[in-house]
Amino acid sequence: MNADAKLMDVAQRSCDFHRGFLALQEEHSNWVDNIRGKLPDDLTGTLFRNGPGAMHAGSEAYGHWFDGPGMISAVSFNGGRAHFKNRYVRTPKFLTDKEEGRVSGRGFGTQIRGGWFRNLLKPMTNPANTSVSWHGEKLCAFYEGGQPFRLDPFTLDTLGPEYYGGALTPRTTISAHGKIHPKTGHQINFGVNLVGLGWRGIKCALDVHEIQSNGADVRSCRIPLSKFPFLHDFALTEHYALFLVSSVNFGLGGPLLGTATLSETLSYDPYQPMRGIAVDLRSMTVAREFELPPGIVVHFANSFETGDELVTDFFHTTSTEGFAWLGDVFDVQTVAGAQLQRLRLNLKTGQTHTEAFDSAPIGEFPAWNTDQTGLANGFCFYVGHSPDRESGFFNSLVTLNTHTGAFTHTDVGPNRYTSEALFTTRAHPRSENDGYLLAFVYDASTHRSEVQVREAANPDNEIAAVLLDHHVPFGFHGHFTRELFLS
Ligand SMILES: [Fe+2]
């Protein structure tokens, strides 16, 4: 069954988590009166979230979850009430696909219909679908294969590509995992770029950026790389940015010739060490390079410095299962997770020590109290699979005490599946985890979504849920800000 047929098939199913990948075509802006429980009076701010709003254009399906057009959702919490809004990011890709009713551009795992000749030398197009961030008075939707798109935070209208005063160009990229330094207010981010041709082939580089708190001025450095890396996220401490290049290889020939997507050329090499690069943000120079045993790292949790050591937590795997299902979301049986690990790097000696949080459930989409980003902390929040429901999409919330290894594991409810959950503190927090977990949860029984508000210190306690009268497709990353943007 081809992808288009699967899309139609899944739409016929009556109660299935796969329908959480179906499109939300309508754009809403309304107060939500249907609240289960009572929203906390001190929960004030806006939960922005990004993800593919559709997995098809006209009758053609995208070939990979990473390729659907970005749709921003915004839930505003104010005075015990909630307002929901969603808008597609008007990228050139979105507008052309919509106008032509077909997949008009290539993606990470999507080819233009019609064979290799129609894909020859065609670059990947930017769906702006991976994350969204409010920083420097700018709301931007990010995709790691291109530049961000700036949005109006009140209307979610697309204002255009954001180049940060020339730090980026239409040909350079920036990741979807920028992190905001709580002491300086600067956003640290990076991009992987093709920078020329050498006798060994295409030259690649890692560009590291410090976008100042005004959202305009940028300090950058460029680090040459020996090959095109798998680099999706990074670790930020008070003074360092740490990168772990996974034991993953890409073939660039097929994508250039139009015979393969970048996703199809991805392979794991179990004998290839991971390469670590620590960048000193004060001097914007490489402070230390090192190797780790082979593995794949997609997402980092929080990181910090203690003495000469840099400590970082990240999800680690040696399985490519996670890559396989991303290309066929309508047929996936179980969304794969990974094991949380802690790396200690001695910056003076270069010695490393890695230890897994063995007893903690596997999972993904780590979150933490972002007031502590880059600083010592003790709690990590992520999504996983409930012991009672180990198949399907993520369906549980995990809170892990990284000092003791103790954890809680909460099912988000019958026939319900959750995307990334974010943490925000109460108005006057008494401790690091004194706050709320905010999660977009899909109810497969009703084909509707809800935004659950749970007590972070005890997620079994659902405080409230904002019940939408439609679904919101499963998505990637979001951002919570205490600011409100209600007209
Ligand atoms: Fe990510």
Side-chain angles (χ1 to χ4, degrees), residues 2-9 25 54-63 97-104 113 330:
N2 66 29
D4 297 343
K6 279 177 190 162
L7 181 68
M8 304 319 294
D9 175 61
Q25 303 287 9
M55 285 308 300
H56 65 97
S59 62
E60 293 185 2
Y62 296 104
D97 286 10
K98 192 172 178 63
E99 183 181 328
E100 298 183 1
R102 68 182 184 92
V103 175
S104 65
R113 300 285 197 279
F330 293 115

Side-chain angles (χ1 to χ4, degrees), residues 190-244:
F190 72 96
V192 171
N193 289 300
L194 306 178
V195 294
L197 276 172
W199 65 276
R200 283 185 173 176
I202 296 170
K203 290 181 178 176
C204 303
L206 167 63
D207 293 336
V208 183
H209 305 290
E210 182 184 72
I211 303 164
Q212 310 292 294
S213 55
N214 61 11
D217 302 319
V218 181
R219 295 171 64 227
S220 302
C221 68
R222 172 162 284 182
I223 301 162
L225 297 173
S226 57
K227 61 170 188 147
F228 189 79
F230 179 84
L231 267 179
H232 175 71
D233 194 2
F234 76 111
L236 176 67
T237 69
E238 186 168 358
H239 303 108
Y240 295 90
L242 176 74
F243 301 87
L244 295 181

